[in-house]
Amino acid sequence: MTRAEVCVTACADLFAGDGEILASPMGPVPALGARLARLTTAPDLLLSDGEATLLDPAGTPEGWLPYRAVFDVVAHGRRHVVMGANQLDRYGNQNISGIGPHARPTRALLGFRGAPGNTVNHRTSYWVPRHTPRVFVPAVDVVCGVGHDRDGGPFHDLYRVVTDLAVLDFGGPDRTMRLVSVHPGVTVDDVLAATGFTPHVDEVAVTREPSAAEIALIGDLDPAGERDRAVPG
Ligand code: F8G
């Protein structure tokens, strides 16, 4: 069992029981997690190729979802996105747009993209492949994904954050980030040292290990080992 496989199953667990909704996992580890969930705990999950086709976990086309229709699905709310983050704060505000002062950013990144609309319309989780204080900051430089200290409206639903070290949710005071579990071999102190604010800590579990059957499925889904390049070690 590798750390990457723990991360894939933690991402699969984000979708467990999600029913017939569109999974939109950004990045190879959440994408593997969504495909694993479809094969295990979320058999009705819809998986997009990111363009216009819905695919089963083997890559066989099973539906047509052109780009314009994605906006209808977002507005309707039957979607669970797992986005990346250049910065995340304790309330779950996310930045993928720019670093530094807004008037004169030192780095221009992806832009706001779908982040604001995603977070106000449907369930949103985050995947952070390198859990560092540079990502987990006291305050983000630009708010793209809406956090709990803002009015996200009635459909705002920040679910969980999976990283290469841990799983967090928003069960802390005022719906701030709480440490749910540390991955096998990681300590709570490791996570606190890698987080630029203090997440809420009460009872911290160890992230579950993938079963032998899940490890075999992950191997089938990712024969080239893309997961190990995303999460080495
Ligand atoms: C930093 C930091 C930091 C980065 N602090 N410096 C520096 C200081 C770093 C580098 C440089 C670059 C619905 C929908 C959509 C759609 C529609 C439909 C979405 C509306 C589809 C298309 C669209 C959004 C989806 C994601 C993002 C996934 C990732 C990234 C990354 C890395 C975030 C991890 N904190 N950070 N720097 N998108 N991508 O030292 O400096 O900046 O750094 O849902 O789109 O439009 O909308 O980001 O940056 O979820 O997760 O990969 O940009 O690659 O290379 O790390 O080295 O150049 O000097 P990155 P990176 P230097 S939903």
Side-chain angles (χ1 to χ4, degrees), residues 26 67 70-71 79 83-87 96 99 107 109-110 113-114 118 134:
M26 306 294 168
Y67 195 69
V70 172
F71 292 93
R79 181 171 184 253
M83 289 194 285
N86 291 99
Q87 295 179 324
I96 50 171
I99 302 296
R107 289 288 183 282
L109 301 168
L110 294 173
R113 319 297 292 192
N118 290 343
R134 201 177 82 149

